[in-house]
Amino acid sequence: MGLLVSRRIVVRKDAQALQGEAVQLFVDTARSAIKDHATFRIALSGGNTPRPVYEQLASEPACGQVDWSRVQVFFSDERFVPPDSPESNYRMANDALLSRVNIPARFVHPVSTVDISPEQSASIYEEGIRRVFVAELDRIPAFDLILLGMGEDGHTASLFPGTEGLKAQDQLVVANHVPQLDSWRLTFTFPLINAAHCVAFVVEGDAKADRVAEVLAGSDLPAARVDPTDGTVLWLLDEAAAARLSPEFRSAS
Ligand code: 6PG
């Protein structure tokens, strides 16, 4: 499907309403995936924006609406730091959600970042994804939902402007050196992201408004290259992040 057909933009009045929208998306997508194929395979995003979403998912009423015994959790990107580092996306999600719900430990798939090279970590993570999806080598695993954020520079996951990871076509996960941060990241690649059934950006705040408008207008920034082949891309925005969008971009809802 082309972008215009498979893209939906939802704007909510403030960050709290936006978080509620993201929580409901998680619950609804989990329910339909589990009903359809007995499992919900999701990739969580990192950074600051999703933390309150994860905290709400760990609390009632949302928590009781998800069959956590059937949820498989991966990470759409990870900083190459130890799992107990304050920078770790795994640590953030584990503190906010994963340690607070009855998800089987074997269904939580953190990126290996200790006593391993970034490249080895990326290939091990990719093998782990394929094992869970029991995917043939020639098929790209299709996540039920991939959550993504967007930076003020238009990066998403750890696909930053001007970095080698943007070019990956044969891998599902790559080690990506980010000179802007002088650090290594592990990230899903566009082929894996664009194989998903649903990709949802959750973006808030006026600092990102210009970039959101630029990306949705079709720039070549990394976030603009998220265009699922057979899936849907949702942009969940608060009014502040949507402030520069022209009227035709805003959904009726
Ligand atoms: C990360 C994220 C990254 C994040 C954006 C937005 O590891 O930092 O995966 O892609 O989603 O940088 O981050 P904020 O939500 O903190 O603005």
Side-chain angles (χ1 to χ4, degrees):
M1 283 196 276
L3 194 54
L4 294 181
V5 172
S6 60
R7 182 174 77 188
R8 203 154 66 84
I9 299 166
V10 177
V11 180
R12 289 294 174 258
K13 63 181 168 61
D14 56 24
Q16 189 175 2
L18 170 64
Q19 290 150 15
E21 191 74 31
V23 168
Q24 196 57 54
L25 172 73
F26 185 110
V27 169
D28 294 346
T29 315
R31 186 174 285 152
S32 62
I34 291 167
K35 185 175 175 206
D36 180 65
H37 45 269
T39 181
F40 176 48
R41 294 166 298 202
I42 181 166
L44 299 179
S45 59
N48 300 311
T49 303
R51 183 195 294 271
V53 175
Y54 301 161
E55 288 167 345
Q56 286 182 44
L57 284 166
S59 315
E60 295 304 342
C63 186
Q65 296 170 4
V66 178
D67 180 357
W68 295 101
S69 71
R70 294 190 176 272
V71 179
Q72 293 262 9
V73 172
F74 288 86
F75 296 84
S76 45
D77 73 321
E78 184 59 278
R79 293 83 181 275
F80 202 69
V81 295
D84 59 354
S85 160
E87 288 299 302
S88 165
N89 287 335
Y90 162 75
R91 173 175 162 178
M92 181 275 283
N94 191 51
D95 290 350
L97 173 60
L98 303 174
S99 61
R100 300 170 58 197
V101 294
N102 292 324
I103 186 169
R106 70 184 185 284
F107 285 0
V108 177
H109 305 275
V111 176
S112 306
T113 57
V114 177
D115 297 334
I116 193 170
S117 73
E119 293 78 6
Q120 288 168 323
S121 176
S123 56
I124 287 170
Y125 206 57
E126 175 162 334
E127 285 163 22
I129 291 171
R130 288 190 178 281
R131 250 197 321 277
V132 166
F133 280 77
V134 201
E136 300 306 316
L137 278 181
D138 62 349
R139 272 195 306 119
I140 299 177
F143 276 85
D144 295 302
L145 177 61
I146 296 178
L147 294 178
L148 294 175
M150 188 193 75
E152 292 178 35
D153 61 355
H155 83 263
T156 189
S158 284
L159 296 165
F160 285 77
T163 60
E164 285 302 301
L166 298 175
K167 303 172 189 168
Q169 286 304 316
D170 302 324
Q171 300 107 311
L172 304 182
V173 181
V174 291
N176 195 27
H177 186 252
V178 184
Q180 302 91 310
L181 302 174
D182 189 23
S183 66
W184 281 95
R185 295 284 190 96
L186 269 289
T187 185
F188 279 17
T189 60
F190 286 121
L192 180 55
I193 292 170
N194 287 329
H197 293 300
C198 181
V199 180
F201 284 93
V202 184
V203 183
E204 68 182 64
D206 56 10
K208 300 181 181 177
D210 287 335
R211 204 63 77 199
V212 165
E214 197 180 333
V215 165
L216 290 178
S219 75
D220 61 355
L221 289 165
R225 290 180 53 185
V226 173
D227 176 13
T229 313
D230 297 315
T232 303
V233 56
L234 299 176
W235 282 81
L236 306 183
L237 307 169
D238 65 354
E239 281 292 357
R244 304 279 191 288
L245 284 185
S246 42
E248 74 263 20
F249 279 120
R250 298 173 72 123
S251 72
S253 62

